[in-house]
Amino acid sequence: MTQFTPFHQITPLPNPTMNKNQIPRTRPWPAGFPTSKTLTNFADANCMEQLLLHCANAIQTNDVTLAQQILWVLNNIASPDGDSNQRLASSFLRALTARAAQTGTCKMLVAVADHARTNLSIDTHKFSVIELANFVDLTPWHRFGFTAANAAILEATEGFSVIHIVDLSLTHCMQIPTLIDAIASRHEVPPLIKLTVPDATFRDIPPMLDLSYDELGAKLVNFARSRNVVMEFRVVSSTYQDGFAGLIEQLRVQQQHFVYAVEPRPCEALVINCHMMLHYIPEETLHAMPEGDLTSLLYDSSSGAGSSSAISVTSTSSLRSLFLKSLRGLDPTVVILVDEDADLTSNNLVCRLRSAFNYLWIPYDTVDTFLPRGSKQRQWYEADICWKIENVIAQEGVQRVERVEPKNRWEQRMKNVNFQGVAFSEDSVAEVKGMLDEHAAGWGLKREDEHIVLTWKGHNVVFASAWLPA
């Protein structure tokens, strides 16, 4: 029989600094010796989290014996078909075993990792436009940001004859049809809409679309025409990996064209709509790119539209901050920033796992309220969460792209580059509350300073904020 280290001899790992908006739960380390008869004692969220944390620490320190022991316990209690806590732990188990195999540490665990891949394979779905539109409407996770952003955009662009929307969205423009509808209903003669998006051809982040952006653009233009709205659609070759440098440069060139144009410039609003996309831009904890490469990616336009001097990158700067500084140089009418309110940036695996576990239980907990077990949509939904967990836990360097930051850190970044937050109007908030009424009772909304926050059972989930040049 396999001999186990008595678990009462293992002390709980200390709490790292947590996002202040997360509600900590006490997690006492279970005493006793796990046998086949007592494994059920370990099957609650508190105990499974401690098992995962100690397993991560064992893998990091190459403690093969302890890692094997904990993996044996987790394999027996974390069922991929169990309750929400078990499915959550199962996804983290798969991510840890994948990490062990990829990093070459704990080589004896490779067989376990291969077994986990067989039983917990991630099959992310490529959505049609209709499938994705229906998918994002199932839960407020995205609808919250769509509703708040659209309301703020309508108010900020009142009176403009042209609305140029730069859509940096994880959900492939799924917000835009509702915005077109709203614009059409508010204006007897709707303004011209220009929609600019970065190319997603090489983006392998869920959700993924099964058609090109040129095809998507044609569908959006036709939809706008059906609402008597004229829309132009443009795809720019640009990626989050270099801080959307190509997109920034295109926008800057366009502004220069207006400055030197002979004909009068139309009354055009520039809207930067950032929906859960900016956290993929590298931040300070990623130092994989040489400084010389970074300096050529973004330029400082603060000295005027006709000049551009390279920004030097230091150990305290990042593409994320440089991107925001470049946005400020474009002097946009409004910037909408919607993202998840969590901290997944730590370079310490154990700290990162704890933070992820304390946040990503939410999508597993909510799914029972809107998708039945065994449905295809539920499989797609949980596969996307599993992908996120594996990226956070199993990957490092430029491959670890899920680098979510909490709201207060984004607030500081925006203020540092001379943006000021603007409060959502009472009508906007009422509209968001009306949308939440269509969903399960656990969802809520609260105000924090000028911003609004989506909550699940009192825990912060997603924040929405609107920013103007200061």
Side-chain angles (χ1 to χ4, degrees):
M1 180 178 176
T2 306
Q3 296 298 309
F4 289 91
T5 302
F7 283 107
H8 65 273
Q9 295 180 3
I10 307 176
T11 57
L13 292 175
N15 263 312
T17 301
M18 294 180 62
N19 175 3
K20 67 177 183 180
N21 292 317
Q22 289 178 311
I23 300 177
R25 294 172 287 176
T26 57
R27 290 178 171 79
W29 181 254
F33 186 86
T35 67
S36 58
K37 293 183 179 180
T38 60
L39 282 174
T40 54
N41 296 332
F42 290 83
D44 84 357
N46 297 343
C47 297
M48 285 192 285
E49 183 194 12
Q50 289 297 324
L51 286 166
L52 289 164
L53 292 171
H54 282 279
C55 185
N57 193 57
I59 290 173
Q60 284 296 91
T61 58
N62 207 24
D63 189 339
V64 179
T65 302
L66 179 58
Q68 284 180 316
Q69 292 173 3
I70 300 175
L71 285 172
W72 182 86
V73 175
L74 287 168
N75 268 312
N76 281 276
I77 63 174
S79 169
D81 301 314
D83 63 25
S84 60
N85 288 331
Q86 290 172 322
R87 299 197 311 278
L88 172 67
S90 178
S91 294
F92 276 92
L93 169 62
R94 185 195 189 283
L96 284 172
T97 50
R99 182 185 178 92
Q102 291 172 10
T103 59
T105 59
C106 293
K107 292 183 179 180
M108 291 175 64
L109 301 178
V110 173
V112 180
D114 290 340
H115 176 73
R117 283 196 184 93
T118 301
N119 290 278
L120 293 172
S121 59
I122 301 176
D123 185 19
T124 52
H125 178 66
K126 282 199 169 184
F127 292 86
S128 69
V129 171
I130 294 176
E131 282 177 340
L132 184 56
N134 291 332
F135 188 73
V136 298
D137 276 350
L138 289 171
T139 165
W141 203 281
H142 291 293
R143 288 192 73 196
F144 169 81
F146 291 176
T147 307
N150 285 349
I153 290 169
L154 288 171
E155 292 178 3
T157 58
E158 188 69 38
F160 286 88
S161 59
V162 180
I163 302 174
H164 185 183
I165 303 166
V166 179
D167 193 37
L168 303 176
S169 171
L170 184 64
T171 56
H172 308 284
C173 301
M174 290 300 105
Q175 173 184 339
I176 301 302
T178 307
L179 180 58
I180 292 171
D181 265 337
I183 290 173
S185 66
R186 284 171 69 103
H187 301 274
E188 187 174 337
V189 179
L192 167 68
I193 298 177
K194 297 179 180 180
L195 182 60
T196 300
V197 298
D199 190 7
T201 303
F202 302 105
R203 195 177 95 190
D204 57 357
I205 302 168
M208 291 181 283
L209 208 56
D210 71 349
L211 77 167
S212 72
Y213 266 26
D214 287 334
E215 295 171 292
L216 175 65
K219 290 180 181 293
L220 288 170
V221 168
N222 287 335
F223 176 80
R225 187 180 298 120
S226 73
R227 301 299 191 269
N228 296 316
V229 175
V230 178
M231 189 174 87
E232 299 173 359
F233 183 85
R234 182 175 61 157
V235 182
V236 176
S237 179
S238 193
T239 172
Y240 63 86
Q241 294 168 323
D242 66 0
F244 295 110
L247 175 64
I248 293 292
E249 186 59 25
Q250 285 284 328
L251 294 171
R252 186 175 296 123
V253 168
Q254 183 182 17
Q255 286 194 341
Q256 290 175 352
H257 171 75
F258 281 128
V259 168
Y260 296 111
V262 176
E263 296 181 359
R265 178 180 177 179
C267 185
E268 179 172 318
L270 176 60
V271 176
I272 311 295
N273 184 57
C274 308
H275 183 89
M276 299 194 189
M277 201 65 224
L278 296 196
H279 72 251
Y280 294 102
I281 299 175
E283 39 68 66
E284 288 81 1
T285 63
L286 179 62
H287 300 295
M289 297 181 69
E291 290 188 4
D293 293 339
L294 290 174
T295 55
S296 64
L297 295 176
L298 291 174
Y299 297 88
D300 184 3
S301 59
S302 58
S303 57
S307 65
S308 60
S309 56
I311 301 172
S312 62
V313 178
T314 69
S315 60
T316 58
S317 63
S318 68
L319 279 179
R320 195 168 293 188
S321 294
L322 300 182
F323 168 79
L324 295 177
K325 184 174 183 180
S326 294
L327 279 191
R328 180 62 186 85
L330 296 172
D331 199 28
T333 307
V334 66
V335 176
I336 308 297
L337 176 54
V338 176
D339 219 314
E340 297 167 330
D341 196 7
D343 188 356
L344 306 181
T345 60
S346 175
N347 281 331
N348 181 287
L349 174 63
V350 174
C351 294
R352 199 163 70 241
L353 190 152
R354 188 190 294 275
S355 185
F357 193 92
N358 275 274
Y359 180 70
L360 292 172
W361 67 273
I362 297 173
Y364 281 100
D365 194 52
T366 63
V367 69
D368 289 327
T369 67
F370 60 88
L371 286 174
R373 284 180 179 268
S375 69
K376 284 187 177 180
Q377 285 183 316
R378 181 161 173 153
Q379 292 172 12
W380 302 340
Y381 177 86
E382 294 201 356
D384 287 359
I385 306 168
C386 194
W387 184 94
K388 188 183 190 87
I389 290 171
E390 180 161 329
N391 188 265
V392 170
I393 302 303
Q395 303 296 336
E396 291 294 352
V398 293
Q399 284 73 40
R400 178 160 65 83
V401 297
E402 288 286 350
R403 296 173 177 266
V404 177
E405 288 187 312
K407 177 176 67 68
N408 59 346
R409 203 174 299 164
W410 282 111
E411 285 181 310
Q412 193 57 54
R413 286 187 187 278
M414 295 297 283
K415 291 175 181 177
N416 286 348
V417 295
N418 208 25
F419 279 107
Q420 63 181 7
V422 57
F424 289 88
S425 69
E426 291 300 327
D427 288 344
S428 299
V429 173
E431 192 169 345
V432 175
K433 287 180 177 177
M435 179 274 299
L436 291 180
D437 288 341
E438 301 172 18
H439 296 277
W443 294 105
L445 177 150
K446 66 180 180 180
R447 292 178 181 267
E448 291 188 355
D449 300 323
E450 301 93 354
H451 320 303
I452 56 175
V453 181
L454 174 70
T455 63
W456 173 253
K457 297 180 179 179
H459 297 258
N460 284 21
V461 182
V462 173
F463 70 89
S465 58
W467 300 86
L468 304 177

